[in-house]
Amino acid sequence: SGAGLSQSGVSMRVDELLKQIRQWHPESAAVVDAFEPLVRVQTALQEEWAARPIRALPPYTPDSLPVDPAEAVSVAERVADALEQGFGGGDFAAAARALSRRPTPVRTLCRAVLAGDDAPLTHFAERHGLTNQDALRMVLLQTARALAAKASLRVRRTNASDKNSGQGGRCPCCHSPADMSMLVDKEGKRLLHCSLCGHVWRYARTACPYCGVDKADNIEMVYAEGRPEERAERCRSCDAYLLAVDTRSRNIPAHLAYYVTLGMGHLDVLLQEDGAHPGV
């Protein structure tokens, strides 16, 4: 439904970026189309929360993610609507309806999906006659990510995110691993993007965020053909990799750079065929 969206500067930049990704990667246009409604809901929620006065919060972990059930259900309904628009099938809407029934176990289920514990999800799906547990999991995961983005905004209000946690390159807000890297500014600062809350923080260009090895020749760059701004950073020590984007050559906003990875599935395939593995 696109509830809460306006043609603000952020939403217009999203329009522009998604259009560019389709132009850069016509082979991935269907993927971009499917995820576009979710991207719009995610950015709309971030705008809404950034505009509200909210209380500060100390750093947290996924198993202590703050989840208000009423807010979580509202977010789940918006997320499910977006996924239904993008993928269809009716299963996302069914999951949202089941989650909205009181009393809702949405807090337990969000934390379960972050912990990789399928037992509560299976029990809930069977109880409510949901035949597609993957759709339920996707709604819960995207709901948890949205709620984590809000929680990390509260952490950032305390200035705790100005420095790295120093523990393997994990997010200083929620202690989750990075899922992509980006270069920004004229000097080419390296930022990592959190796989849970989406926070970005500075990290050494020569260090692996997964095993921590930091030496000049440790990170191997694997480039997309004809697109030097898109690449993967592969650690020679632990063989983990993460996708990376140089935001400077195409003027990509750092807070939206993650969405460029919608068109970078070919690099995932290339690295995994060569024996590397995602660090997340």
Side-chain angles (χ1 to χ4, degrees):
S1 66
L5 283 176
S6 65
Q7 280 299 310
S8 66
V10 172
S11 60
M12 286 189 287
R13 290 307 296 271
V14 169
D15 288 340
E16 179 184 341
L17 180 60
L18 294 177
K19 180 180 179 180
Q20 289 175 331
I21 295 171
R22 290 186 182 93
Q23 292 173 346
W24 300 335
H25 296 285
E27 77 283 357
S28 299
V31 174
V32 178
D33 290 346
F35 280 97
E36 179 175 355
L38 180 63
V39 172
R40 294 187 179 282
V41 166
Q42 289 172 334
T43 52
L45 286 168
Q46 290 166 14
E47 285 187 276
E48 292 168 20
W49 287 329
R52 298 177 188 170
I54 55 176
R55 293 182 293 107
L57 179 76
Y60 61 100
T61 57
D63 61 358
S64 63
L65 172 68
V67 179
D68 173 79
E71 180 178 50
V73 168
S74 174
V75 171
E77 289 172 344
R78 292 174 67 172
V79 163
D81 181 54
L83 292 170
E84 197 66 58
Q85 289 180 55
F87 295 92
D91 293 317
F92 301 105
R97 286 194 297 271
L99 289 168
S100 69
R101 295 174 187 165
R102 302 295 195 272
T104 176
V106 66
R107 178 190 289 112
T108 299
L109 292 174
C110 279
R111 291 177 176 171
V113 77
L114 292 180
D117 180 5
D118 279 347
L121 275 68
T122 299
H123 177 74
F124 181 82
E126 291 175 349
R127 179 182 174 188
H128 292 278
L130 301 176
T131 56
N132 188 339
Q133 191 169 314
D134 288 337
L136 172 63
R137 184 183 294 104
M138 193 169 183
V139 170
L140 288 165
L141 178 59
Q142 296 302 331
T143 297
R145 285 178 172 169
L147 295 173
K150 180 182 181 182
S152 290
L153 175 62
R154 293 173 59 188
V155 175
R156 294 200 295 275
R157 296 274 169 97
T158 70
N159 298 317
S161 62
D162 288 343
K163 46 187 178 294
N164 193 300
S165 66
Q167 299 182 22
R170 287 180 174 264
C171 175
C173 292
C174 69
H175 203 61
S176 297
D179 60 1
M180 78 161 289
S181 171
M182 66 188 82
L183 295 183
V184 300
D185 299 339
K186 291 181 180 180
E187 64 268 35
K189 290 190 301 186
R190 184 191 190 198
L191 302 181
L192 298 182
H193 178 276
C194 177
S195 59
L196 175 59
C197 71
H199 175 55
V200 296
W201 72 100
R202 189 169 183 175
Y203 197 69
R205 286 186 64 164
T206 54
C208 173
Y210 305 121
C211 71
V213 170
D214 185 0
K215 55 184 180 180
D217 62 346
N218 188 55
I219 302 296
E220 175 191 3
M221 299 297 179
V222 181
Y223 292 92
E225 186 176 355
R227 297 186 180 91
E229 69 283 348
E230 297 178 7
R231 59 198 183 205
E233 299 173 349
R234 180 177 184 172
C235 176
R236 299 182 193 273
S237 297
C238 69
D239 222 15
Y241 75 90
L242 73 170
L243 298 179
V245 175
D246 188 336
T247 68
R248 300 168 297 174
S249 61
R250 285 182 166 166
N251 192 29
I252 301 166
H255 66 284
L256 298 177
Y258 172 74
Y259 297 120
V260 177
T261 63
L262 290 173
M264 295 173 64
H266 56 294
L267 275 175
D268 272 316
V269 172
L270 177 65
L271 269 293
Q272 290 175 39
E273 286 180 345
D274 197 41
H277 59 88
V280 179

